[in-house]
Amino acid sequence: MSDRGAFDTNVITLTRFVLEEGRKAKGTGELTTLLNSMCTAIKAISSAVRKAGIANLYGIAGSTNVTGDQVKKLDVLSNDFVINMIKSSFTSCVLVSEEDDKAIVIEPDSRGKYVVCFDPLDGSSNIDCLASIGTIFAIYRKTTDDEPNEKDALQSGRHIVAAGYALYGSATMLVLSTGQGVNCFMLDPAIGEFILVDRDVKIKKKGKIYSLNEGYAQHFYPDVTEYLQKKKYPEDGSAPYGGRYVGSMVADVHRTLVYGGIFLYPANVKSPKGKLRLLYECNPMAYIMEQAGGMATTGSINVLDIQPETIHQRCPVVLGSPDDVQEYIAIFKKHNAK
């Protein structure tokens, strides 16, 4: 019996971690409850993703979501999981989902003080080829006393209370920040809990990887073309950057966080406003990046400083290691000087 693996009897679960953070902040416990419910939804989505084939959850559900992507059955399921879990936690008043055209205003008897913006299943076009997919979310406090409505979600990323993403990859990981740095939790299927595996994660100052969809190269603006040229054919004799692109934002951003480097989904001639959504894709990822010592920019402004005008607003984004992002900003400014 002596060859059994040692059990850690004082393991730090996500629930315990959030409770401790809440205690330090002398909070009411409402954010802890909300994050716990988000966690439950993520565990349920993880389980559904793992058995997508068995449960016949593949394929198109037969409709298109508000941003034009074809909706997969897993998207619909994931959206339902997140909405139902948050509603039943009595912590929130307004929800914004990529899958829903309008903001969801929670019934008066189930309301709390938070606003949650989320993409329930990001990268869902990757489901059928088993590439990594994920869930992204950002939590804000309602700032007005009037009846909750869509406008409550139109806050800049500087007002985020907590944000994170779950990555359903070779394992399920949840990356979370409540404004005190970035922490990574791995789902242990044996006990059904997220376990703290990386505390206070920091991104490298400079990386060796660039990540973007080069299939759009003919539509790139000159600043992006020049930046890529510098990465592929360095003028100082240094080694060129490696190119990596999954096409699932969570997977590409997570790799950028872990290994350093730069992720770009810039504006181009076909998509002058960018493609990714500000409220539930760019803002949460920008928040995580800044908390980890990185940067996130549109080229002209920090992503977190943008004042949203609509809930499904698009936004160009370049994020990652600070030195790499600064280098891109310098080239962007040169090309866009008035």
Side-chain angles (χ1 to χ4, degrees):
M1 302 294 283
S2 59
D3 61 349
R4 278 191 179 176
F7 266 97
D8 182 355
T9 55
N10 194 25
V11 68
I12 298 180
T13 64
L14 190 138
T15 306
R16 172 179 166 181
F17 180 85
V18 171
L19 278 169
E20 286 171 2
E21 291 292 302
R23 194 73 184 267
K24 279 186 218 160
K26 297 184 168 55
T28 60
E30 210 169 327
L31 182 62
T32 304
T33 306
L34 171 52
L35 287 169
N36 266 338
S37 68
M38 198 73 212
C39 233
T40 306
I42 285 166
K43 288 179 199 171
I45 295 167
S46 177
S47 172
V49 165
R50 301 281 172 228
K51 58 187 178 202
I54 306 162
N56 193 29
L57 292 163
Y58 275 139
I60 308 296
S63 57
T64 302
N65 70 9
V66 292
T67 51
D69 300 323
Q70 281 190 305
V71 181
K72 300 266 179 160
K73 292 177 185 174
L74 268 174
D75 284 26
V76 179
L77 190 79
S78 304
N79 198 37
D80 290 347
F81 275 143
V82 176
I83 291 167
N84 290 334
M85 288 302 150
I86 295 175
K87 274 186 178 177
S88 61
S89 71
F90 301 97
T91 57
S92 306
C93 53
V94 177
L95 308 180
V96 171
S97 167
E98 192 210 22
E99 301 297 331
D100 294 293
D101 202 354
K102 292 188 163 58
I104 298 161
V105 177
I106 292 176
E107 304 77 22
D109 56 351
S110 300
R111 280 177 195 163
K113 65 185 174 195
Y114 292 107
V115 175
V116 189
C117 304
F118 59 92
D119 185 345
L121 204 63
D122 182 74
S124 53
S125 60
N126 277 324
I127 293 169
D128 291 351
C129 68
L130 301 188
S132 296
I133 48 184
T135 299
I136 315 173
F137 63 93
I139 299 169
Y140 301 82
R141 217 175 257 105
K142 179 169 163 51
T143 54
T144 57
D145 294 328
D146 55 1
E147 188 67 11
N149 63 59
E150 199 164 276
K151 287 185 182 148
D152 290 310
L154 300 178
Q155 301 183 43
S156 82
R158 295 289 171 210
H159 294 98
I160 288 175
V161 177
Y165 61 84
L167 176 65
Y168 312 110
S170 46
T172 296
M173 176 166 270
L174 201 156
V175 177
L176 177 70
S177 178
T178 54
Q180 310 293 317
V182 177
N183 297 282
C184 299
F185 302 82
M186 194 86 79
L187 181 59
D188 180 348
I191 58 171
E193 288 284 359
F194 280 101
I195 309 298
L196 180 63
V197 289
D198 287 305
R199 192 189 279 271
D200 198 20
V201 175
K202 293 293 177 209
I203 192 170
K204 287 178 183 167
K205 202 160 175 295
K206 186 175 172 66
K208 297 174 183 172
I209 296 170
Y210 73 88
S211 181
L212 87 166
N213 186 348
E214 293 198 64
Y216 294 129
Q218 68 167 326
H219 305 302
F220 285 162
Y221 290 132
D223 55 292
V224 177
T225 305
E226 183 183 330
Y227 179 77
L228 285 178
Q229 187 72 6
K230 278 185 153 58
K231 296 299 101 185
K232 293 176 184 179
Y233 305 97
E235 290 156 1
D236 59 3
S238 60
Y241 275 37
R244 299 281 186 278
Y245 189 70
V246 178
S248 172
M249 189 192 191
V250 177
D252 284 314
V253 170
H254 187 65
R255 184 198 54 251
T256 305
L257 176 67
V258 174
Y259 295 153
I262 190 164
F263 168 82
L264 309 94
Y265 210 122
N268 63 40
V269 175
K270 280 187 84 175
S271 305
K273 293 184 176 173
K275 183 90 187 299
L276 298 176
R277 270 70 66 170
L278 176 61
L279 261 61
Y280 41 80
E281 289 178 324
C282 299
N283 266 346
M285 293 309 199
Y287 184 78
I288 293 281
M289 275 295 155
E290 286 201 8
Q291 285 289 324
M295 290 180 71
T297 182
T298 64
S300 58
I301 183 175
N302 282 344
V303 170
L304 294 180
D305 290 328
I306 300 169
Q307 175 56 49
E309 290 166 17
T310 61
I311 59 170
H312 296 294
Q313 182 173 328
R314 295 178 190 273
C315 163
V317 63
V318 174
L319 56 77
S321 296
D323 287 5
D324 290 312
V325 176
Q326 289 280 18
E327 187 183 351
Y328 170 76
I329 290 171
I331 293 170
F332 178 92
K333 285 190 169 154
K334 181 180 85 178
H335 282 277
N336 292 276
K338 292 284 184 283

